[in-house]
Amino acid sequence: MDDGADLVTELHKSKKNIEKIIGGTEETTTGVVRLRSMAREGVLMYPIIAVNDASTKHFFDNRYGTGQSTLDGIIRATNLLIAGRTFVVCGYGWCGRGIAMRAKGFGANVVICEVNPLYALEAVMDGYNVMKISEAAKVGDIFITATGDINVLRREHFALMKDGVILANSGHFNVEISLPDLDSLAISKKEIRENVEEYKLQNGKRLYLLGEGRLVNLACAEGHPASVMDMSFANQALCVEHLVRHAKELSPQVYGVPKDIDEQVARLKLASMGITIDKLTAEQAKYITSWEEGT
Amino acid sequence: MDDGADLVTELHKSKKNIEKIIGGTEETTTGVVRLRSMAREGVLMYPIIAVNDASTKHFFDNRYGTGQSTLDGIIRATNLLIAGRTFVVCGYGWCGRGIAMRAKGFGANVVICEVNPLYALEAVMDGYNVMKISEAAKVGDIFITATGDINVLRREHFALMKDGVILANSGHFNVEISLPDLDSLAISKKEIRENVEEYKLQNGKRLYLLGEGRLVNLACAEGHPASVMDMSFANQALCVEHLVRHAKELSPQVYGVPKDIDEQVARLKLASMGITIDKLTAEQAKYITSWEEGT
Amino acid sequence: MDDGADLVTELHKSKKNIEKIIGGTEETTTGVVRLRSMAREGVLMYPIIAVNDASTKHFFDNRYGTGQSTLDGIIRATNLLIAGRTFVVCGYGWCGRGIAMRAKGFGANVVICEVNPLYALEAVMDGYNVMKISEAAKVGDIFITATGDINVLRREHFALMKDGVILANSGHFNVEISLPDLDSLAISKKEIRENVEEYKLQNGKRLYLLGEGRLVNLACAEGHPASVMDMSFANQALCVEHLVRHAKELSPQVYGVPKDIDEQVARLKLASMGITIDKLTAEQAKYITSWEEGT
Amino acid sequence: MDDGADLVTELHKSKKNIEKIIGGTEETTTGVVRLRSMAREGVLMYPIIAVNDASTKHFFDNRYGTGQSTLDGIIRATNLLIAGRTFVVCGYGWCGRGIAMRAKGFGANVVICEVNPLYALEAVMDGYNVMKISEAAKVGDIFITATGDINVLRREHFALMKDGVILANSGHFNVEISLPDLDSLAISKKEIRENVEEYKLQNGKRLYLLGEGRLVNLACAEGHPASVMDMSFANQALCVEHLVRHAKELSPQVYGVPKDIDEQVARLKLASMGITIDKLTAEQAKYITSWEEGT
């Protein structure tokens, strides 16, 4: 079971005992992207189930879990009032939209930066201001990265920011905010509150970095709530069972979570919350998959 | 170009000149479900592009278009205040969630009914009350169906409803609300306002059906706004061009919209709104698809 | 019973039979402002109850009623998709915040313009972009006035607007958008759809005025829903009864609605919706008004 | 300067040096209620300015400050996911509506309990479920009190609650949740996490009390953010200055904050956020207060 494809990468570099491994699972979006790349290049040596891609994982963990815990991390670190702040979210994937939704829910004026035109358009239709980072840099009070990529906030953006802005990351590792750029621009640096470092720039502005640019929900709060991780872990456990039973039939590719596992997890979760839902009648089940019926 | 697979069905029944057809496109979710069923059964005779499945179609047309126009239809037909009403949405697909989002945005207390556990769980996490239709029937003020299936609201539900409730459909055809059941339960029926029919039941309760149970946004308002249909039609046009060029290479299956067409439509739409977005730097483009990089 | 203090003004100018009038009531914010001004100047000749100031009136009629019906008017007139548009609301009183809330609920990116710093600050904390009209004029797609004052949108603003913007008023009379300025700037003017007039400006831009600048919810839709007017009218009726009983004890001032009338209307409305609420226990009623209790 | 009228009460009981006091200020709603009661009974011995009643205080501190910090306290204490939970707010005053707004913003399904019919009706129109506490007790996952009164949650409600519910208070003191009732119903009690006490009831259910029933934002988080307290304290400072200048002219009553102080605070706050707003033109200023103008 991997988180970010680091273990897989390590194993594929060292090749130590790799022939004994029958399969693996991956928890994160970033990891899945890297594994798909390995599969495409033909270097992946065993099948992997992308647990991240389960509906009961990424729709919940990435959106609701990351959304709440990112706000939680920022608030614990700073005790700032979110209402009335211009809150810039870089990346409008599932994590980014969870964060945007919660920042809006706490009264922020949310700005979205995206490179994918489809996601950018959804952000527009969801009522957010959408602009380039170089524009957002001039107006934002709080910046949060959630892209899975590197150097999203960098020298050219820091130079444009207002005095007193907050910088935080909720993507992968500590590479989304360029720490080298921040260091090279700063004339001084000090911790002014636990998990809050003040960078004083040559232009006199002060930028505040949370949790050293690491995942702010882990660095400054308690990570995802248990009540969202339970579904990820249920998927992990059931996928490992599936691999034990079926790995021999699978080639070294990246697979989605079997639909019946995904639905089983959703049913268990609803039951645990005391919620009952409808079932299709026989007539409805027939109609929805039939092409001869219909007016 | 089809809408609901009715033309395709007709053609496959009559078989008239069907050999001259090189391909087709389908606009709706319901149609795609039926076409997939035909392809599975091996009866589909030419390739179809599921325009509905383009991100720039179903994310926008189904969600934002249907969401707004459904509320519009209900309000034009009834002039009711939405705020404070219990608003029951049957189906939490893209249409259903658009409708729920807009009903909430107008101050309704929204209840969701679903058969798919994954969608039901999302509805819960989105803050809605989720329950069986038989429970919702007792508390709802306004009911709207958006499932693509038949007899969603039927005899057993009508019998439980409060006096004065509104019934409307935003799914496909006029089959989601069982008109035969409504007729057989009613002792009288009259149009009390344009597009509003009062069914007086044997139990003394009055139910109000909008637009004869046909799509309420078409029957009682003007359908989707042009500014959302433009993207559907851009996809249709570009997919037809794609079929002209590539139909010979395609077997008689249901295909998604080519990703580059989808992205092209999104880019054109953003440009028309005066919105500019970022591009990945070369370094970022390399990082996001590489498995050897990363801390 | 007056709406906008026009009848009162007329009566005070002509003085015809004015000595026979024992009291009056006023429905709107604008009217109350004018009546207070008359009372201050000592010219008001009989007592007036400001029905507008009842909680069950202005909190509901102005906010929820105007909010929904303004959006309704704009959508009926234009069939535009609200999602993704920059929606400028001039005035953040009860009407303005109702409109802003509903525009946001339909996915707009809402901008607020205000002259009152307290209201402006609330708008900021509610997550809206707050700016001067001269700034908003450059970015807005739809403009709506709800201030009760004149020439809110005028020559200097029209000159800055983008091609294709929509102008509508939801305040009082047709004076909030300066029609003389619009006429003098335009080189042509034509109705392009019912209730939509295109003004082509000398600079080539086209501005679209809805309902001749009159109240858009009345001009282009059906005004407030009955289910919000019922409370206003219940207040009107009970206040008239109150005047019949008590007018002799009242000097010619503007009075609020008696609190027990206001609460009676709220109780009746809740009952009509089937909602039951708690009552204070004897112990709680004593505690909340006592200053000797408490830890 | 008082917070809850405790100091005033103490002084009026002991009467020690009370003749030397020229005036006072009060920070909270609960305190103002008690002071008004003292004034009504003729026992108040010096003038008090109800700082709480300043728009720049209670609209901001009570609503945005309490709203965010209450959620913050609950999340820090429990690390629970708010999305999908039934969140019961007792009291829909400014604090209660701030809490409700933020709980909704974090994806909760919010239920409101109120005794005031006007507030209850607003809660209905704002889209919340409104019901009696005895009904809410059966469905709630998280309960929060914000009424300023005593024994809001008590024996009869605890007995109805589900296993595992969370109890927290954001009103005044630790009297809103009846601790004596909780103690007498419990067969055991233990701290299971910092600030979380598990009460095991005779019926086998477990209730979790946060921060000993004290204000959850103070007990479990850091209280209000500085960026909302700054306005309260600016009002306090300017009101004390006002008392020094004008106390001699004031009788021993409870006074509102002078409107010019309130507006001055709002202007300063907007300026500190870099926001500029419009001013009325001379023509507009004249129109808005005139009764002879108008169509």
Side-chain angles (χ1 to χ4, degrees):
Chain A
M1 289 187 196
D2 207 349
D3 186 298
D6 296 335
L7 179 63
V8 171
T9 305
E10 190 52 38
L11 278 165
H12 280 70
K13 282 182 176 161
S14 77
K15 303 257 180 331
K16 203 170 164 192
N17 285 328
I18 200 166
E19 70 287 353
K20 294 190 184 160
I21 297 171
I22 64 164
T25 61
E26 168 57 40
E27 176 78 7
T28 70
T29 307
T30 312
V32 170
V33 168
R34 295 172 77 194
L35 291 164
R36 290 239 160 81
S37 171
M38 290 175 74
R40 240 185 341 262
E41 296 179 21
V43 299
L44 190 64
M45 296 186 64
Y46 51 79
I48 304 253
I49 299 186
V51 166
N52 179 72
D53 293 358
S55 294
T56 45
K57 200 280 181 180
H58 74 274
F59 281 154
F60 297 91
D61 173 310
N62 296 21
R63 186 166 35 166
Y64 306 109
T66 302
Q68 174 174 312
S69 63
T70 298
L71 268 287
D72 186 18
I74 293 170
I75 293 170
R76 288 199 208 196
T78 64
N79 205 37
L80 278 183
L81 186 74
I82 302 300
R85 307 269 170 182
T86 298
F87 196 105
V88 180
V89 182
C90 303
Y92 200 61
W94 290 113
C95 289
R97 60 190 71 188
I99 296 166
M101 182 166 69
R102 294 308 173 227
K104 188 179 189 175
F106 260 37
N109 175 4
V110 178
V111 170
I112 304 291
C113 304
E114 240 305 338
V115 294
N116 180 320
L118 295 164
Y119 291 0
L121 194 51
E122 272 188 281
V124 172
M125 294 293 181
D126 288 340
Y128 299 114
N129 271 307
V130 175
M131 59 184 81
K132 297 173 77 168
I133 300 184
S134 52
E135 290 306 310
K138 297 176 204 162
V139 296
D141 296 310
I142 300 171
F143 295 81
I144 181 92
T145 51
T147 69
D149 212 327
I150 57 172
N151 301 329
V152 178
L153 294 177
R154 51 188 185 266
R155 175 178 293 269
E156 65 199 78
H157 308 127
F158 301 140
L160 297 166
M161 290 178 179
K162 298 190 293 187
D163 184 38
V165 307
I166 306 290
L167 307 174
N169 168 45
S170 206
H172 206 62
F173 305 126
N174 61 343
V175 296
E176 303 215 5
I177 299 170
S178 172
L179 301 182
D181 282 6
L182 210 42
D183 278 327
S184 79
L185 278 174
I187 55 172
S188 72
K189 173 175 159 181
K190 63 175 171 188
E191 192 176 59
I192 59 147
R193 187 178 144 116
E194 200 188 341
N195 283 318
V196 184
E197 262 173 320
E198 179 186 277
Y199 285 78
K200 191 160 194 175
L201 304 194
Q202 288 137 9
N203 65 12
K205 308 284 174 62
R206 290 157 300 175
L207 313 186
Y208 297 94
L209 179 70
L210 307 190
E212 299 177 327
R214 300 186 181 280
L215 274 75
V216 71
N217 58 352
L218 292 169
C220 307
E222 298 182 58
H224 287 0
S227 54
V228 75
M229 293 309 295
D230 57 1
M231 288 192 282
S232 291
F233 294 153
N235 275 297
Q236 287 279 12
L238 292 168
C239 285
V240 166
E241 184 195 28
H242 179 83
L243 282 171
V244 169
R245 291 181 201 272
H246 300 288
K248 286 187 187 155
E249 309 149 26
L250 303 173
S251 58
Q253 299 296 330
V254 178
Y255 294 90
V257 170
K259 205 172 150 58
D260 59 323
I261 290 182
D262 211 354
E263 291 203 352
Q264 185 185 351
V265 172
R267 280 189 203 286
L268 288 168
K269 182 72 181 180
L270 284 169
S272 80
M273 300 175 95
I275 292 167
T276 318
I277 63 172
D278 288 294
K279 286 186 183 142
L280 292 180
T281 63
E283 181 194 47
Q284 289 174 328
K286 179 156 175 273
Y287 183 89
I288 199 72
T289 52
S290 161
W291 62 273
E292 287 185 80
E293 306 253 356
T295 333
Chain B
M1 290 187 195
D2 207 350
D3 186 299
D6 295 335
L7 179 63
V8 171
T9 304
E10 191 51 38
L11 278 166
H12 280 71
K13 281 183 176 159
S14 76
K15 303 256 178 337
K16 200 168 166 194
N17 286 328
I18 200 165
E19 69 287 352
K20 294 190 186 159
I21 297 170
I22 65 163
T25 61
E26 167 57 41
E27 177 78 8
T28 70
T29 307
T30 312
V32 170
V33 168
R34 294 173 77 195
L35 291 165
R36 290 241 160 79
S37 170
M38 290 175 75
R40 241 187 339 264
E41 295 178 20
V43 298
L44 191 64
M45 297 185 65
Y46 51 78
I48 304 254
I49 300 187
V51 166
N52 178 71
D53 295 357
S55 293
T56 46
K57 199 279 181 179
H58 74 274
F59 281 154
F60 297 90
D61 174 310
N62 297 20
R63 186 166 33 166
Y64 306 110
T66 303
Q68 175 174 312
S69 63
T70 298
L71 269 286
D72 187 17
I74 294 170
I75 292 170
R76 288 198 208 196
T78 64
N79 205 35
L80 278 182
L81 185 75
I82 302 299
R85 307 269 171 182
T86 299
F87 196 105
V88 179
V89 182
C90 302
Y92 200 62
W94 288 113
C95 289
R97 60 191 71 189
I99 298 166
M101 184 165 67
R102 293 309 174 226
K104 188 180 190 174
F106 260 36
N109 174 4
V110 178
V111 170
I112 304 292
C113 304
E114 241 304 339
V115 295
N116 179 319
L118 294 164
Y119 291 179
L121 194 51
E122 271 187 283
V124 171
M125 294 294 181
D126 288 340
Y128 299 115
N129 271 308
V130 175
M131 59 183 81
K132 298 173 77 168
I133 299 185
S134 52
E135 290 306 310
K138 298 176 203 162
V139 297
D141 296 310
I142 299 170
F143 295 81
I144 180 92
T145 51
T147 70
D149 212 328
I150 57 171
N151 300 331
V152 179
L153 293 177
R154 51 186 186 266
R155 174 178 292 271
E156 66 199 77
H157 308 126
F158 300 140
L160 296 167
M161 289 178 180
K162 299 190 292 185
D163 184 37
V165 306
I166 306 290
L167 307 174
N169 168 44
S170 206
H172 206 61
F173 304 125
N174 61 344
V175 295
E176 302 215 5
I177 299 171
S178 173
L179 301 181
D181 284 6
L182 210 42
D183 278 327
S184 78
L185 278 175
I187 54 172
S188 73
K189 174 175 157 182
K190 63 174 169 187
E191 193 178 56
I192 57 149
R193 186 178 146 114
E194 199 189 340
N195 284 317
V196 183
E197 262 174 321
E198 179 187 278
Y199 285 79
K200 191 159 193 176
L201 304 194
Q202 288 137 9
N203 65 12
K205 308 286 174 60
R206 290 158 300 176
L207 312 187
Y208 296 93
L209 179 69
L210 306 189
E212 301 177 327
R214 298 185 184 281
L215 274 77
V216 72
N217 58 352
L218 292 169
C220 307
E222 298 182 57
H224 287 359
S227 54
V228 75
M229 292 310 295
D230 57 0
M231 288 193 282
S232 291
F233 295 152
N235 274 296
Q236 288 279 12
L238 293 168
C239 285
V240 166
E241 183 195 29
H242 180 82
L243 282 170
V244 169
R245 291 181 202 271
H246 300 289
K248 287 188 185 154
E249 309 149 27
L250 302 172
S251 58
Q253 299 296 330
V254 178
Y255 294 90
V257 171
K259 204 171 151 59
D260 59 323
I261 289 182
D262 211 354
E263 291 203 352
Q264 185 185 353
V265 173
R267 279 187 204 287
L268 289 167
K269 181 74 180 179
L270 284 169
S272 80
M273 301 176 94
I275 292 167
T276 318
I277 62 172
D278 288 294
K279 285 186 183 143
L280 292 181
T281 63
E283 181 195 47
Q284 289 174 328
K286 178 156 177 270
Y287 183 88
I288 200 71
T289 51
S290 161
W291 61 273
E292 287 186 78
E293 303 255 358
T295 335
Chain C
M1 291 187 196
D2 208 350
D3 186 300
D6 295 335
L7 178 64
V8 171
T9 305
E10 190 52 38
L11 278 166
H12 280 71
K13 281 182 175 160
S14 77
K15 303 256 177 339
K16 200 169 167 193
N17 285 329
I18 200 165
E19 69 287 353
K20 293 190 186 160
I21 297 171
I22 65 164
T25 60
E26 167 58 39
E27 177 78 7
T28 70
T29 308
T30 311
V32 170
V33 168
R34 295 171 77 194
L35 291 164
R36 289 241 160 79
S37 170
M38 290 175 74
R40 237 185 345 261
E41 294 179 21
V43 298
L44 190 65
M45 296 187 64
Y46 51 79
I48 304 254
I49 300 186
V51 166
N52 178 71
D53 294 358
S55 293
T56 46
K57 199 281 180 181
H58 74 275
F59 281 154
F60 296 91
D61 174 310
N62 298 19
R63 186 166 34 167
Y64 307 110
T66 303
Q68 175 174 311
S69 62
T70 298
L71 269 286
D72 187 18
I74 294 170
I75 292 170
R76 289 199 207 195
T78 64
N79 204 35
L80 277 183
L81 185 75
I82 302 300
R85 308 269 170 180
T86 298
F87 196 105
V88 179
V89 182
C90 301
Y92 201 61
W94 290 114
C95 289
R97 58 192 71 188
I99 296 165
M101 184 165 68
R102 294 308 173 228
K104 188 179 189 175
F106 260 36
N109 175 3
V110 179
V111 170
I112 304 292
C113 303
E114 241 303 340
V115 295
N116 180 320
L118 294 164
Y119 291 0
L121 194 50
E122 272 187 283
V124 172
M125 293 294 181
D126 288 340
Y128 300 114
N129 270 308
V130 176
M131 58 184 80
K132 297 174 77 168
I133 299 184
S134 52
E135 290 305 311
K138 298 175 203 162
V139 296
D141 296 308
I142 299 171
F143 295 82
I144 180 94
T145 51
T147 70
D149 213 329
I150 56 172
N151 300 331
V152 179
L153 293 178
R154 51 186 186 267
R155 174 179 292 271
E156 66 199 77
H157 307 126
F158 300 140
L160 297 167
M161 290 178 180
K162 299 189 293 186
D163 183 38
V165 306
I166 306 289
L167 306 174
N169 167 44
S170 206
H172 205 62
F173 305 125
N174 60 345
V175 296
E176 303 215 6
I177 298 170
S178 173
L179 301 182
D181 283 6
L182 211 41
D183 278 327
S184 79
L185 279 175
I187 54 171
S188 73
K189 172 175 158 182
K190 62 174 170 189
E191 193 177 56
I192 57 148
R193 185 178 147 115
E194 200 189 341
N195 284 317
V196 183
E197 261 173 321
E198 179 185 276
Y199 285 79
K200 192 160 193 175
L201 304 194
Q202 289 135 8
N203 65 11
K205 307 285 174 63
R206 290 158 300 177
L207 312 187
Y208 297 93
L209 179 69
L210 306 190
E212 301 178 327
R214 301 187 181 281
L215 274 76
V216 72
N217 58 353
L218 292 169
C220 307
E222 299 182 57
H224 287 0
S227 54
V228 76
M229 293 310 295
D230 58 0
M231 288 193 283
S232 291
F233 294 152
N235 275 296
Q236 287 279 13
L238 293 168
C239 285
V240 166
E241 183 194 30
H242 180 82
L243 281 171
V244 170
R245 291 180 202 272
H246 299 289
K248 285 185 186 157
E249 308 149 29
L250 302 173
S251 58
Q253 300 296 329
V254 178
Y255 294 90
V257 171
K259 203 171 152 57
D260 59 323
I261 290 182
D262 210 355
E263 291 204 351
Q264 187 186 350
V265 173
R267 280 187 203 288
L268 289 168
K269 182 73 180 179
L270 284 170
S272 80
M273 301 176 92
I275 292 167
T276 317
I277 63 172
D278 289 294
K279 285 186 183 142
L280 291 180
T281 63
E283 182 195 48
Q284 288 174 328
K286 178 157 177 271
Y287 183 89
I288 200 71
T289 50
S290 161
W291 61 274
E292 287 186 79
E293 305 254 357
T295 333
Chain D
M1 290 186 195
D2 207 349
D3 185 301
D6 295 335
L7 179 63
V8 171
T9 305
E10 189 53 38
L11 278 166
H12 280 72
K13 282 183 176 160
S14 77
K15 306 255 179 333
K16 202 169 166 195
N17 285 328
I18 200 165
E19 70 288 352
K20 293 189 185 161
I21 297 170
I22 65 163
T25 60
E26 168 58 39
E27 177 78 8
T28 70
T29 308
T30 312
V32 171
V33 168
R34 295 172 77 193
L35 291 164
R36 290 240 161 81
S37 171
M38 289 175 74
R40 241 188 338 266
E41 295 179 23
V43 299
L44 189 65
M45 296 186 63
Y46 52 79
I48 304 254
I49 300 187
V51 166
N52 179 72
D53 294 357
S55 293
T56 44
K57 199 281 181 179
H58 73 274
F59 281 153
F60 297 90
D61 173 311
N62 296 20
R63 186 166 33 164
Y64 307 108
T66 302
Q68 175 174 311
S69 64
T70 297
L71 268 288
D72 186 18
I74 294 170
I75 292 170
R76 288 199 207 195
T78 64
N79 204 37
L80 278 182
L81 185 75
I82 302 300
R85 308 269 171 181
T86 299
F87 196 105
V88 179
V89 181
C90 302
Y92 201 62
W94 290 113
C95 290
R97 59 190 72 188
I99 297 166
M101 183 165 67
R102 293 309 174 226
K104 188 178 190 175
F106 260 35
N109 174 3
V110 178
V111 170
I112 304 292
C113 304
E114 241 303 342
V115 295
N116 180 319
L118 294 162
Y119 291 0
L121 194 51
E122 272 187 282
V124 171
M125 294 294 181
D126 287 341
Y128 299 115
N129 271 307
V130 175
M131 59 183 81
K132 297 174 76 169
I133 299 184
S134 52
E135 290 306 309
K138 298 176 202 161
V139 296
D141 295 310
I142 300 171
F143 295 81
I144 181 93
T145 52
T147 69
D149 212 328
I150 56 172
N151 301 329
V152 178
L153 293 177
R154 51 186 185 266
R155 174 179 293 270
E156 65 199 77
H157 307 126
F158 300 140
L160 297 167
M161 290 177 180
K162 299 189 293 186
D163 184 38
V165 305
I166 306 290
L167 307 173
N169 168 45
S170 206
H172 207 61
F173 305 125
N174 61 344
V175 296
E176 302 215 6
I177 299 170
S178 172
L179 301 182
D181 283 6
L182 210 41
D183 278 327
S184 80
L185 278 174
I187 55 172
S188 73
K189 173 176 159 182
K190 63 177 170 188
E191 193 176 57
I192 59 146
R193 187 178 145 116
E194 199 189 339
N195 284 318
V196 184
E197 262 173 320
E198 178 186 277
Y199 285 79
K200 191 160 193 176
L201 304 195
Q202 287 136 9
N203 65 11
K205 309 284 174 61
R206 289 157 301 175
L207 313 186
Y208 296 93
L209 179 70
L210 306 190
E212 299 177 329
R214 299 185 183 281
L215 274 76
V216 71
N217 58 353
L218 292 169
C220 307
E222 298 183 57
H224 287 0
S227 55
V228 75
M229 293 309 296
D230 58 0
M231 288 193 282
S232 291
F233 295 152
N235 274 295
Q236 287 279 11
L238 293 168
C239 285
V240 165
E241 184 194 28
H242 180 83
L243 281 170
V244 169
R245 291 180 201 272
H246 300 288
K248 284 186 186 156
E249 309 149 27
L250 301 173
S251 58
Q253 299 296 330
V254 178
Y255 295 90
V257 171
K259 202 171 153 58
D260 59 324
I261 289 182
D262 211 354
E263 291 203 351
Q264 186 185 351
V265 173
R267 280 187 203 287
L268 289 167
K269 182 73 181 181
L270 285 168
S272 79
M273 301 175 93
I275 292 166
T276 318
I277 63 173
D278 289 294
K279 286 187 183 142
L280 291 180
T281 62
E283 182 195 47
Q284 289 174 327
K286 179 159 177 269
Y287 183 89
I288 199 71
T289 51
S290 162
W291 62 274
E292 288 186 79
E293 304 254 357
T295 334

